[in-house]
Amino acid sequence: EVQLVESGGGLVQPGGSLRLSCAASGFTFSSYAMHWVRQAPGKGLEYVSAISSNGGSTYYANSVKGRFTISRDNSKNTLYLQMGSLRAEDMAVYYCARAKPPGIAAAATDYWGQGTLVTVSS
Amino acid sequence: EIVMTQSPATLSVSPGERATLSCRASQSVSSNLAWYQQKPGQAPRLLIYGASTRATGIPARFSGSGSGTEFTLTISSLQSEDFAVYYCQQYNNWPPNFGQGTKLEIK
């Protein structure tokens, strides 16, 4: 069974940093591109970032470019999102999701985690 | 960026009836269009990809159609568990933007 479990969310002050993790199981993690998608409270879905299966290619939404960094450790079956210079508008539930092959960045996503909440407030 | 526009914002339908949801892209996305269902407090679930292919385990009452800029999700006979928010998503170009969602509610 495919499972994606996010962690690392919490309360952070504006300008602060946070690292999210997504632990994957039930599939060959190193064979799949992975995505981060967020959802602000009561709002729709917004793409944040994507990474290729070997980590060699990364993609970012304009809203987070230069502030967030996506990475992965295929030996640990884990996806990361390092978030910096956080703003109030970054407050959201952050989901990791598996890209449906053969897509990498522009791809449908066939499995999602349950999400982790990031709250940005002083 | 490609802008995805869904209509209507809210759709009220009785159980057992048919629901038709629309999605329009600001430029052609070929057939690179997916539909997701999201229930309160849950992650989105992939329903349709490639504009018309049902994802694994999705009931046959869900069907997708369209190509280019105009797409439709049809639920042929609504069950109680189908009342949720539905999002379309283009994945022809980065970023693979979502529409703003259609809330399907019980009439």
Side-chain angles (χ1 to χ4, degrees):
Chain A
E1 179 193 6
V2 173
Q3 281 201 312
L4 299 169
V5 180
E6 301 94 337
S7 60
L11 175 63
V12 61
Q13 292 187 339
S17 299
L18 209 57
R19 189 177 83 156
L20 307 183
S21 300
C22 171
S25 61
F27 65 103
T28 305
F29 180 70
S30 59
S31 296
Y32 290 83
M34 297 294 296
H35 293 191
W36 286 101
V37 179
R38 68 185 180 184
Q39 186 170 36
K43 302 298 184 182
L45 300 166
E46 180 189 14
Y47 251 89
V48 175
S49 187
I51 188 167
S52 61
S53 58
N54 65 4
S57 297
T58 57
Y59 307 81
Y60 299 93
N62 287 337
S63 58
V64 306
K65 198 174 295 183
R67 300 188 299 122
F68 290 11
T69 302
I70 190 172
S71 62
R72 64 191 297 160
D73 186 337
N74 285 345
S75 69
K76 296 182 178 179
N77 291 343
T78 303
L79 175 71
Y80 302 101
L81 185 68
Q82 179 69 47
M83 304 186 295
S85 302
L86 283 162
R87 307 165 179 167
E89 54 265 35
D90 295 318
M91 185 165 68
V93 174
Y94 284 72
Y95 296 101
C96 68
R98 189 181 83 168
K100 187 169 178 56
I104 301 176
T109 42
D110 56 2
Y111 288 92
W112 295 59
Q114 85 289 349
T116 187
L117 177 62
V118 173
T119 302
V120 183
S121 175
S122 55
Chain B
E1 293 190 10
I2 297 176
V3 176
M4 306 302 292
T5 303
Q6 292 184 241
S7 61
T10 303
L11 183 61
S12 299
V13 183
S14 299
E17 293 188 340
R18 175 189 296 256
T20 301
L21 289 67
S22 297
C23 175
R24 173 177 292 179
S26 60
Q27 65 188 73
S28 176
V29 298
S30 186
S31 294
N32 296 313
L33 191 284
W35 290 94
Y36 299 83
Q37 176 193 67
Q38 188 179 34
K39 297 179 180 179
Q42 296 185 16
R45 177 174 71 145
L46 178 66
L47 298 175
I48 300 284
Y49 64 94
S52 60
T53 303
R54 280 189 301 277
T56 303
I58 302 303
R61 64 181 181 273
F62 291 90
S63 63
S65 63
S67 66
T69 61
E70 300 284 343
F71 301 89
T72 300
L73 174 70
T74 301
I75 311 171
S76 59
S77 178
L78 280 164
Q79 308 297 304
S80 57
E81 61 266 30
D82 299 334
F83 293 95
V85 178
Y86 291 83
Y87 294 95
C88 65
Q89 176 214 16
Q90 70 80 20
Y91 54 96
N92 198 60
N93 297 92
W94 178 264
N97 289 333
F98 295 91
Q100 81 280 15
T102 290
K103 182 179 180 180
L104 182 57
E105 63 177 28
I106 300 175
K107 186 175 182 179

